Amino acid sequence: QVQLVQSGAQVKPPGASIKVACTASGYTFTGYYIHWVRQAPGHGLELVGWINPNSGDTRYRQKFQGRVTLTAARSISTVYMEIHNVTSDDTAVYYCARDFETLDYWGPGMLVTVSS
Amino acid sequence: EVELTQSPGTLSLSPGDRATLSCRSSQTVYSDYLAWYQQKPGQAPKLLIYGSSTRATGIPDRFSGSGSGTDFTLTISRLESEDFAVYYCQQYGNSITFGQGTRLEIK
């Protein structure tokens, strides 16, 4: 069955970088884009960007351009999201999700807390 | 960006009632690429409907989606206890954007 497993919660100080992993199983990893969506505490859902794991092509929402990097390691079916220079506004649960028609399978989410 | 506005913000109903949730877009949603998700506390969103009206795998037929252009509706025909949650609409015809959510609570 399709599964997306995410790395564990992180606490980082302002100005640090965070790197989140999303490991896929149960389907052909290179056949589907992976999207990253975040949800700040008590708020709605916000797209960060997406990656084509086959080609490595990426797209980022404008507000994240230059501060977020998505990469894929095909040999281990894993996609990474790195956010640089984090602030308290980046405190959120970060989800990875597979794109088939739209976001059909989601990871469980990973809480990132930015705090000094 | 395409903006999605959901109404009402909160809907208070009883089990067995019919729920009607609305999603309005700031511009025509390309090819009616409109989806609905259910999210329960501490869980990831779950895809219910895509392409405005197609139920995702395993979704009960009490959930139905309709609409086109800029106005879309999610209907839950007879509410069951497990349906009380937050619902988000999402368009994927022009990048991806989400509505702000409708909270469906027990009356």
Side-chain angles (χ1 to χ4, degrees), chain A residues 35 37 39 43-47 50 61-62 95 99-109, chain B residues 1 33 35 37 39 42-47 49-51 88 90 92 95-100:
Chain A
H35 294 245
V37 174
Q39 186 170 35
H43 287 77
L45 302 165
E46 177 180 41
L47 176 72
W50 69 90
R61 212 163 137 243
Q62 188 167 7
Y95 297 99
D99 186 348
F100 174 69
E101 284 285 344
T102 187
L103 308 179
D104 62 345
Y105 284 93
W106 293 60
Chain B
E1 279 191 346
Y33 286 157
Y37 295 85
Q39 187 178 34
Q43 296 184 17
K46 177 182 178 181
L47 178 64
I49 301 285
Y50 63 93
Y88 292 96
Q90 172 224 19
Y92 53 102
S95 185
I96 285 178
T97 51
F98 295 90
Q100 82 280 16

Side-chain angles (χ1 to χ4, degrees), chain A residues 40-111:
Chain A
H43 287 77
L45 302 165
E46 177 180 41
L47 176 72
V48 176
W50 69 90
I51 184 168
N52 177 341
N54 188 45
S55 66
D57 286 347
T58 55
R59 292 289 185 276
Y60 304 101
R61 212 163 137 243
Q62 188 167 7
K63 69 181 287 185
F64 298 106
Q65 285 272 4
R67 209 165 63 87
V68 172
T69 304
L70 301 181
T71 54
R74 288 185 292 181
S75 63
I76 56 172
S77 299
T78 298
V79 170
Y80 300 95
M81 176 188 66
E82 188 166 18
I83 308 178
H84 310 282
N85 194 25
V86 296
T87 71
S88 57
D89 289 343
D90 295 313
T91 293
V93 174
Y94 288 80
Y95 297 99
C96 60
R98 188 184 83 158
D99 186 348
F100 174 69
E101 284 285 344
T102 187
L103 308 179
D104 62 345
Y105 284 93
W106 293 60
M110 194 203 88
L111 175 62

